[in-house]
Each structure stands twice: as structure tokens, then as C-alpha cells.
Amino acid sequence: MLKLQHISKQFDDKVVLDDISVEIGTGEIVSLLGPSGSGKTTLLNIILGLTRMDQGSIVFHDQDLSSVPMKKRGFNIVFQDYALFPNLNAYDNIVYGLRNKKGTVSEQEVQEYIDFLELQPHLKKRISELSGGQKQRVALARTLVTKPKILLLDEPLSALDGVIKESIKQRIQSIAREFKLTTIIVTHDPEEALTLSDKILIINQGKIAQFGTPQEIVHHPQDDFVKQFIIKQLHIKRQNIYNLFGEHYA
């Protein structure tokens, strides 16, 4: 269980996060959803330990991590641009993070992650030779081999299209289920959040607009902002949402 308790953050005179409190269960996929500038990326960075909060606490399995530095939290992130090393092949990128963790992960375990993400045919390829979906899978494998306690993803689908995007969505869901890995995703796209997540935290101007399951948010939006944000963003994607939630948003 991850508990975010009364988290607030201010940059100069601007309040970016205002009293954010939620509980995220083990193995759940939770999307942080909101318009640009809503505070969702700042919240992700606070969970990671990259940004310090002004007030509040982060509790993971009853341990207060509020003052624990990023390297000791045991969380890991896949950045939006994948942050892969172009001078290394796919395999060397995957095992790069293990250089200072000898003995913590066996070669057999590394191979299991490679097989799970179907990367075996691409291990010797340079990063420039990989497709967007293959790069995303390499980035996921590099993160998984470090055995993170929580997986954080920053706009993981934004650079992908069509079938590749759907494939990565399914893999993220499989990872969370297979490894019981709590997964937190930043996205600006309601369709991604609704079709990928167990729960969605909608943030508006630094405050919680709604936290609930996709069904709760679609059928019972708590206020006009939630309803209008979802409707506006899904205007050209109605069929996908109709397939999942029926005529409520068709």
C-alpha cells in the first residue's frame, strides 16, 4: 500500500499541489490525469523522490519515505523519451542499471524479463535500429531488472501509434499483474487512462478533482470539470469508450 498524505508543493508564488491524499493498493495501475500544468508530473517526481514536497508524507508498506532520498526508495521510472543510451545495443541498455548491483539479479532473471517482453530477437540491435514500441520495451526491461518496488511511467504511450500503443498498454497491464507491481502513470489522455488503469486520479489546478475507477469517473463524474474534461478529450475517440462503457459517453 502506498499512501500519499496531504502533499503540497509550491514553486515561488504558485501553488502546484494542494493537499493531495490518496491510497494506492499493491499491484494497482493508477493514472495521474489532467491538463497541462495541473501538477501531475510534479506529483510523480515527488513520489520518485526527484522533487521535495513542502508538506505531507509518503508512506509505503507502513514506512515513511518522506525524507528518504530517491536512490534508497526502491522506485524506478521510465521517462517519456525512454532515456536509452544510443552507443549501447539493446541488451547492454537493459543490464546497464545492474553494473553496481552485482549479485542482486541473476542472468536467468534478466533472461526471463527479456522473454516476457519478447525482446530476444532485438538484443544486438543499436537503439537507432529499434522501432518506438521496441524502445519502450527495452526501457521497461531495463527498469524491471532492477526489481523496483513501484514502477513510474511518464507519458509511456505518447510517442506510439495504433497497434503498437495497444500492445504496450497490454504489456504494462501484464507487468502489473505478473509481478504484482504497483504502477503509476502520468498521462494527459483520458482514453489511455480509462482503458489502461484500475483507478484514475484526476488533478485540476493542483487539487484532486476525482479519484476512482474508470467506471466511476465515466458514469459518476464528481463535478463539471471532470465531465467536460473527459467529454472534450474523448470527442474524436467515442467508439473506443463506447465499447468499454456503453452509451453513457457515446
Side-chain angles (χ1 to χ4, degrees), residues 37 130 138:
L130 300 176
V138 169

Side-chain angles (χ1 to χ4, degrees), residues 4-243:
L4 309 181
Q5 301 175 327
H6 306 293
I7 292 178
S8 296
K9 180 64 181 178
Q10 184 170 323
F11 291 113
D12 297 325
D13 295 330
K14 182 179 180 181
V15 176
V16 180
L17 294 171
D18 186 3
D19 196 27
I20 302 292
S21 294
V22 294
E23 294 186 1
I24 299 172
T26 300
E28 282 189 333
I29 301 175
V30 174
S31 285
L32 309 182
L33 174 66
S36 178
S38 61
K40 56 189 185 294
T41 298
T42 299
L43 182 58
L44 189 79
N45 289 337
I46 286 174
I47 296 169
L48 179 63
L50 191 62
T51 299
R52 294 180 64 88
M53 56 193 162
D54 296 331
Q55 295 179 0
S57 61
I58 296 175
V59 179
F60 182 64
H61 291 340
D62 297 324
Q63 180 184 2
D64 192 335
L65 301 181
S66 305
S67 300
V68 175
M70 178 174 65
K71 290 183 178 180
K72 294 185 178 181
R73 291 191 182 187
F75 304 165
N76 210 336
I77 188 168
V78 176
F79 290 103
Q80 184 175 359
D81 62 356
Y82 313 135
L84 299 173
F85 299 103
N87 57 314
L88 302 179
N89 64 25
Y91 178 81
D92 289 338
N93 265 278
I94 291 169
V95 300
Y96 184 85
L98 300 177
R99 295 183 308 161
N100 298 321
K101 296 183 178 182
K102 293 182 180 179
T104 59
V105 180
S106 68
E107 180 59 36
Q108 180 180 346
E109 288 176 304
V110 172
Q111 191 60 50
E112 288 174 358
Y113 290 121
I114 289 170
D115 291 341
F116 182 79
L117 290 165
E118 299 181 358
L119 285 168
Q120 189 65 44
H122 310 294
L123 296 181
K124 294 183 179 180
K125 293 180 181 179
R126 297 179 66 85
I127 299 306
S128 61
E129 298 175 308
L130 300 176
S131 68
Q134 290 162 359
K135 290 176 184 177
Q136 182 64 278
R137 282 186 279 151
V138 169
L140 285 168
R142 184 178 64 180
T143 300
L144 291 175
V145 298
T146 65
K147 295 185 176 180
K149 297 174 182 176
I150 289 181
L151 175 62
L152 306 172
L153 302 171
D154 184 10
E155 297 280 3
L157 307 176
S158 62
L160 306 176
D161 296 313
V163 175
I164 295 175
K165 177 182 286 190
E166 292 303 313
S167 173
I168 295 298
K169 283 165 64 174
Q170 292 171 10
R171 291 185 187 280
I172 291 171
Q173 291 171 325
S174 297
I175 288 167
R177 306 292 179 262
E178 177 77 15
F179 303 109
K180 294 182 173 63
L181 183 58
T182 303
T183 303
I184 302 174
I185 300 167
V186 160
T187 179
H188 67 281
D189 187 332
E191 184 195 21
E192 290 179 11
L194 290 167
T195 57
L196 178 58
S197 315
D198 299 307
K199 292 180 181 176
I200 302 170
L201 176 61
I202 300 180
I203 303 176
N204 179 32
Q205 296 180 340
K207 296 183 178 182
I208 295 177
Q210 187 165 351
F211 181 54
T213 66
Q215 290 80 6
E216 289 169 342
I217 287 170
V218 167
H219 294 293
H220 305 288
Q222 285 187 350
D223 59 25
D224 286 341
F225 167 79
V226 173
K227 186 171 185 178
Q228 293 304 317
F229 179 68
I230 297 293
I231 290 175
K232 180 179 179 181
Q233 296 296 320
L234 295 179
H235 183 67
I236 62 174
K237 304 177 181 179
R238 289 184 174 186
Q239 187 60 47
N240 291 344
I241 300 307
Y242 176 82
N243 292 339

